Amino acid sequence: MRLRLLLAAAPLVILGGCAAIPAKGGATVAQAEAPPAASPYGLFLAGEAAMNAGRSSEAAQFFDLARLGSDDNATVEERAFTAAILAGDIDKAAALAPVGDDASEAAKRLGKLVVAVKALAEDKGKVAQADLAADAIQFPHRAAAALLAPWAAAEAGDVEGSLVRPQVRGDRVVDYFGQLGQALLYERARRYDEAETDFKALTAGPVRTTLASLAYGGFLERRGRRADAVRVYDEALQRTPGETSVIAARARVKAGKAAPPAPGVKAGAAQAILGPASEMVAAKQSQFALAYLRLALRLDPKRDEAWVMVGDVLSGAGDNAAARDAYEKVRPGSEEYGAAQAKLAWTYQNAGDKETALKLARSGAATGGLDARMTLADLLRADEQYAEAAQVLSGLIAEDKTPDWRLLYARGVSYERLGRWPEAEADMKAALKLAPDEPELLNYLGYSWIDRGEHLKEAMAMVEKAVAADPRSGAMVDSLGWAYYRLGDYKQAVEKLEQAVELEAGDPEINNHLGDAYWKVGRKDEALFQWKRVLTLQPDAKMKADAETKIASGAGPDGPPRKVAGE
């Protein structure tokens, strides 16, 4: 099931991936002999460079080699410890966990958490329980330790200890996941009434997640209360229509299939630590987020949503190879498989392999998942296959009584690119009724009207509203500048379009617009410079022909209409 984050997701800025880089002859760094002249310090610097570039596995290998001859083992081992965690080698990280006086306090605290997780993964509950005892691990890992402690107690056979809800003052992630864990552990202890009290509180409280609904529904199924489970799933679908994991759970009940088993200790502990991992992602503490995800996977290597999150983190850093490795770990047939295939497709799209990207996206969309089908539509639009994109989006829109504005917007864009303006305009207007303050939507419809010379005053107001909401968007400032141009206020147009170029210097359309505005105010040399610059920015065929004609004719935008072959 997909983990629903308690906190808003933040942009992912992270160390990159974990794929070892082959040395000469195809061997990895660890397998290859170090260059004869390489000193421990040189290897350390190589490890630092690899770490800074996000290549965690390669970094770990360099640090391992550096440790063999270094006189400053504390520093090197601390870096090797960090790299091993990020690369997913938790057992090695536990062996390298810093403990000496020379080690930093932060590294020692994380080391304690890693050692405890390894013990729990190896069924050494009493060892893990002792390592995770109250206040044994402090900030910033106190929340993770607190959430793992009850599961360690359960593994150690301490039933009463496992039922104590973790507390960290002011930490809402601990409050939420602590109560979810307590509910599951009450069920494990066969204290069903207390378990249901917790489940009801989670699904009726201010924060209602798919995760809690699935957990409560599964509990009810195991109790033989199928009708009650269906009601819980129906309530969840009212909040999040189209949620494939809930649809699948509901279908399972209706078909009379067996209830899902209660999570074991390791699976429950892995789920618990995904809460702090999500919080770290939201707080842009990306190294910690990746570390926690690796710890969760040491406890439960089949935790598919954790593999997807790892892939997301690594993909966000631009490390496509490592991201692919994570996405490919998701098992076929799992609820996350469609989303993983869709995300895997984007790694190939970003690398320029459009054929493979579309093949994978179609495979993901075949699972029927909303996100996977949206990804297919997005990739088709990115590849300018607008007709098929509109077809996919139409299917999604038809399934929802009140379609998400994003679906209408995306289909409107596809129709506009196909030259089907009346349909595009209708979709944009419908989307705007659902999201009247959405800057991207206001900008797109406003700009389209401006570019067509229609509804100029209304379009101007829409674009001004979009720019006020997102003043750092070059595209939106460009729309405002182009509105002034269309209205004949060329001085204002130049001012706004210069701002837009400063914000997005490499956008060919913005540079083209600025050239036109310069021409209109008599700055013809600067106009020619801008149009020539457009030709260096990979413009599409229409814009390329437009710029070339303006340069060649000597008449600028006042010359004859530009034609493109095939129009």
Side-chain angles (χ1 to χ4, degrees):
M1 69 191 122
R2 182 180 304 124
L3 179 68
R4 290 293 183 187
L5 306 187
L6 291 176
L7 303 174
L12 298 178
V13 181
I14 183 66
L15 295 178
C18 303
I21 291 184
K24 291 181 179 180
T28 65
V29 173
Q31 296 165 330
E33 292 291 331
S39 67
Y41 182 63
L43 292 166
F44 178 81
L45 290 179
E48 288 285 281
M51 184 77 94
N52 291 335
R55 301 189 300 271
S56 305
S57 286
E58 183 184 348
Q61 293 161 354
F62 275 125
F63 288 133
D64 267 351
L65 292 172
R67 284 191 310 119
L68 300 177
S70 175
D71 294 328
D72 186 9
N73 268 0
T75 300
V76 179
E77 288 189 4
E78 186 169 322
R79 300 300 287 157
F81 161 74
T82 301
I85 297 173
L86 300 182
D89 192 343
I90 301 304
D91 291 352
K92 177 178 283 186
L96 295 172
V99 294
D101 293 337
D102 293 337
S104 70
E105 190 61 35
K108 286 192 284 189
R109 291 173 181 177
L110 181 56
K112 289 179 181 179
L113 184 65
V114 170
V115 169
V117 166
K118 180 176 182 290
L120 185 54
E122 294 176 347
D123 302 317
K124 298 174 183 176
K126 291 184 178 180
V127 174
Q129 187 179 22
D131 289 340
L132 296 167
D135 299 327
I137 301 174
Q138 291 299 315
F139 178 86
H141 308 296
R142 180 73 196 110
L147 287 167
L148 288 172
W151 295 98
E155 182 63 42
D158 180 2
V159 175
E160 290 304 316
S162 73
L163 300 177
V164 176
R165 190 190 301 182
Q167 299 286 331
V168 174
R169 180 180 296 179
D171 194 318
R172 53 182 173 159
V173 171
V174 173
D175 290 343
Y176 183 86
F177 280 90
Q179 188 168 28
L180 179 59
Q182 185 183 53
L184 294 168
L185 287 165
Y186 269 135
E187 181 184 8
R188 180 181 176 83
R190 301 185 180 182
R191 291 167 62 168
Y192 301 126
D193 289 344
E194 290 154 298
E196 185 160 12
T197 297
D198 275 336
F199 281 128
K200 283 182 175 178
L202 289 164
T203 54
V207 179
R208 303 183 187 185
T209 68
T210 298
L211 184 65
S213 295
L214 289 169
Y216 186 21
F219 167 82
L220 292 170
E221 288 184 63
R222 290 189 288 274
R223 307 280 74 73
R225 295 164 56 186
R226 292 180 173 271
D228 290 339
V230 169
R231 186 175 64 254
V232 169
Y233 296 142
D234 285 343
E235 290 172 353
L237 287 172
Q238 287 179 2
R239 296 192 305 272
T240 55
E243 177 59 63
T244 54
S245 57
V246 181
I247 292 171
R250 191 183 189 282
R252 178 183 63 229
V253 180
K254 286 294 189 179
K257 295 182 179 179
V265 168
K266 294 175 189 176
Q271 178 175 283
I273 204 170
L274 287 181
S278 302
E279 183 182 33
M280 290 297 181
V281 169
K284 300 184 181 180
Q285 297 292 324
S286 303
Q287 282 197 27
F288 287 152
L290 185 55
Y292 286 174
L293 290 168
R294 296 298 195 185
L295 291 174
L297 288 165
R298 177 63 179 89
L299 290 163
D300 185 2
K302 295 181 179 180
R303 197 87 201 179
D304 288 323
E305 74 268 42
W307 282 118
V308 172
M309 290 172 74
V310 168
D312 288 349
V313 167
L314 298 171
S315 179
D319 192 329
N320 287 330
R324 287 171 194 159
D325 183 64
Y327 292 137
E328 288 170 350
K329 292 289 197 304
V330 177
R331 297 162 297 163
S334 82
E335 293 164 0
E336 297 292 339
Y337 183 71
Q341 288 294 104
K343 291 171 182 290
L344 182 60
W346 272 112
T347 68
Y348 285 97
Q349 180 77 11
N350 294 338
D353 187 349
K354 296 180 180 181
E355 182 178 351
T356 301
L358 278 176
K359 180 180 178 181
L360 288 165
R362 293 186 198 284
S363 173
T367 66
L370 173 63
D371 290 346
R373 292 157 72 192
M374 271 298 301
T375 294
L376 174 59
D378 287 343
L379 281 169
L380 289 166
R381 289 195 298 131
D383 292 347
E384 300 183 0
Q385 298 186 37
Y386 298 114
E388 187 179 352
Q391 183 179 4
V392 173
L393 290 162
S394 292
L396 290 167
I397 291 167
E399 293 172 10
D400 197 342
K401 293 180 181 178
T402 55
D404 190 305
W405 71 266
R406 296 171 185 83
L407 297 175
L408 291 163
Y409 170 54
R411 189 174 68 175
V413 171
S414 298
Y415 283 149
E416 187 268 333
R417 297 302 172 88
L418 288 167
R420 295 163 61 177
W421 175 244
E423 294 161 284
E425 186 178 37
D427 272 351
M428 295 288 180
K429 287 181 175 179
L432 197 60
K433 287 182 179 179
L434 296 171
D437 298 320
E438 175 55 44
E440 187 174 352
L441 181 55
L442 287 164
N443 179 69
Y444 200 99
L445 180 56
Y447 178 83
S448 297
W449 277 341
I450 290 164
D451 203 43
R452 296 173 65 84
E454 301 171 356
H455 314 293
L456 291 180
K457 289 185 178 179
E458 183 181 355
M460 171 71 84
M462 292 167 62
V463 173
E464 286 177 336
K465 186 176 180 180
V467 171
D470 191 359
R472 300 297 300 169
S473 168
M476 294 183 188
V477 176
D478 170 65
S479 296
L480 184 55
W482 198 238
Y484 282 120
Y485 182 94
R486 287 292 196 181
L487 291 170
D489 189 345
Y490 301 122
K491 182 179 178 182
Q492 279 275 46
V494 166
E495 181 182 331
K496 293 300 178 184
L497 291 168
E498 285 179 338
Q499 291 177 18
V501 167
E502 287 179 5
L503 290 167
E504 294 190 35
D507 187 292
E509 185 168 28
I510 298 175
N511 281 275
N512 197 33
H513 285 166
L514 180 57
D516 288 3
Y518 278 152
W519 186 274
K520 289 292 189 180
V521 296
R523 296 164 64 175
K524 296 186 177 181
D525 288 343
E526 290 165 283
L528 287 169
F529 174 84
Q530 290 301 135
W531 296 326
K532 289 177 181 178
R533 175 165 169 72
V534 168
L535 300 177
T536 70
L537 298 175
Q538 298 182 326
D540 61 23
K542 183 176 181 179
M543 192 179 303
K544 181 175 183 287
D546 177 48
E548 287 175 339
T549 301
K550 286 184 290 192
I551 294 167
S553 71
D558 300 320
R562 275 78 65 185
K563 294 290 185 181
V564 178
E567 283 194 331

